[in-house]
């Protein structure tokens, strides 16, 4: 019999004050540092939900919507939005708050696919997901759409691998690219 767990059982919140040591050369918080925090919270959410060690399999699109300043309080919220047999898609939202003004800005949303593993590195089955709200159902369906779109992108090659068609397209629509003599 399958075990079911709620989305709430995977919820994690992490808040951290951004320090000068977290900044890049322009004085904003380094994107790599933020990605590290996102990977940590994805691990925590997936591990909490699955009850096992988890590894990052993929990261869907990451858009840095607003810069984060030194001195702001960054809050990351994560939860499992979708489960497969051994994988979980963890949704992450990143907000930054100016602690002097109280103004909060949305800085990033992303999705990490995490895989449950045992001590020897073999994959483990994960609990089924129990959805209890409209929002959770919509997040689950959106995750399923992203997975389907990713599989279609991976399975297809541009112009079905026809180099002549690809070169013709490049010549007409991408004049900014110089293609050395290739034979089709």
């Amino acid at each position: 019999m399958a075990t079911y767990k709620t989305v709430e059982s995977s919820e994690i919140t992490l808040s951290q004050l951004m320090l000068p040591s977290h900044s890049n050369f322009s004085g904003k918080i380094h994107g790599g540092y933020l990605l590290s925090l996102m990977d940590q919270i994805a691990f925590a959410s997936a591990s909490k939900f699955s009850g096992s060690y988890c590894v990052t399999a993929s990261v869907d699109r990451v858009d840095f919507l607003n810069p984060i300043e030194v001195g702001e309080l960054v809050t990351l919220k994560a939860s499992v939005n979708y489960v497969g047999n051994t994988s979980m898609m963890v949704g992450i939202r990143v907000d930054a708050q100016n602690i002097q003004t109280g103004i909060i800005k949305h800085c990033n949303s992303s999705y990490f696919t995490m895989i449950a593993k045992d001590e020897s590195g073999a994959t483990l089955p994960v609990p089924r997901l129990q959805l209890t709200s409209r929002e959770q159902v919509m997040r689950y369906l959106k995750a399923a759409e992203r997975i389907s779109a990713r599989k279609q992108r991976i399975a297809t090659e541009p112009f079905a691998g026809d180099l002549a068609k690809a070169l013709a397209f490049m010549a007409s629509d991408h004049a900014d690219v110089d293609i050395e003599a290739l034979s089709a």
Side-chain angles (χ1 to χ4, degrees):
M1 183 171 168
T3 302
Y4 285 82
K5 285 190 168 183
T6 63
V7 171
E8 289 81 8
S9 72
S10 72
E11 290 178 346
I12 298 281
T13 300
L14 170 69
S15 293
Q16 188 168 346
L17 184 65
M18 294 296 103
L19 303 174
S21 61
H22 304 140
S23 66
N24 60 22
F25 294 110
S26 67
K28 309 297 183 199
I29 298 307
H30 195 286
Y33 180 72
L34 187 58
L35 284 169
S36 174
L37 291 176
M38 293 169 70
D39 192 48
Q40 290 175 41
I41 198 167
F43 167 83
S45 177
S47 294
K48 182 180 175 187
F49 181 80
S50 67
S52 61
Y53 179 76
C54 294
V55 296
T56 305
S58 70
V59 179
D60 279 8
R61 184 179 176 121
V62 177
D63 291 320
F64 296 96
L65 306 173
N66 288 298
I68 299 172
E69 306 291 335
V70 170
E72 289 185 323
L73 181 65
V74 169
T75 300
L76 297 91
K77 293 182 180 181
S79 64
V80 172
N81 291 347
Y82 179 92
V83 297
N85 293 322
T86 61
S87 66
M88 298 148 283
M89 185 173 286
V90 177
I92 302 169
R93 179 182 172 99
V94 180
D95 292 320
Q97 180 179 22
N98 180 310
I99 56 177
Q100 293 174 327
T101 66
I103 295 173
I104 298 172
K105 61 187 173 188
H106 178 214
C107 298
N108 185 299
S109 289
S110 191
Y111 305 92
F112 281 53
T113 300
M114 308 298 290
I115 307 292
K117 300 275 190 168
D118 67 13
E119 301 81 31
S120 66
T123 58
L124 289 172
V126 297
R128 304 294 83 208
L129 193 58
Q130 181 181 27
L131 306 174
T132 59
S133 72
R134 179 188 186 283
E135 181 181 24
Q136 291 172 5
V137 169
M138 292 301 126
R139 285 180 179 171
Y140 181 92
L141 293 172
K142 199 70 172 156
E145 283 179 353
R146 276 192 299 280
I147 290 166
S148 177
R150 183 185 323 138
K151 286 179 180 176
Q152 287 177 349
R153 280 192 309 272
I154 291 170
T156 61
E157 191 172 359
F159 300 97
D162 186 328
L163 183 58
K165 286 182 182 177
L167 290 173
F169 172 77
M170 295 291 289
S172 66
D173 286 6
H174 291 276
D176 56 336
V177 176
D178 181 26
I179 301 172
E180 290 294 319
L182 294 175
S183 57

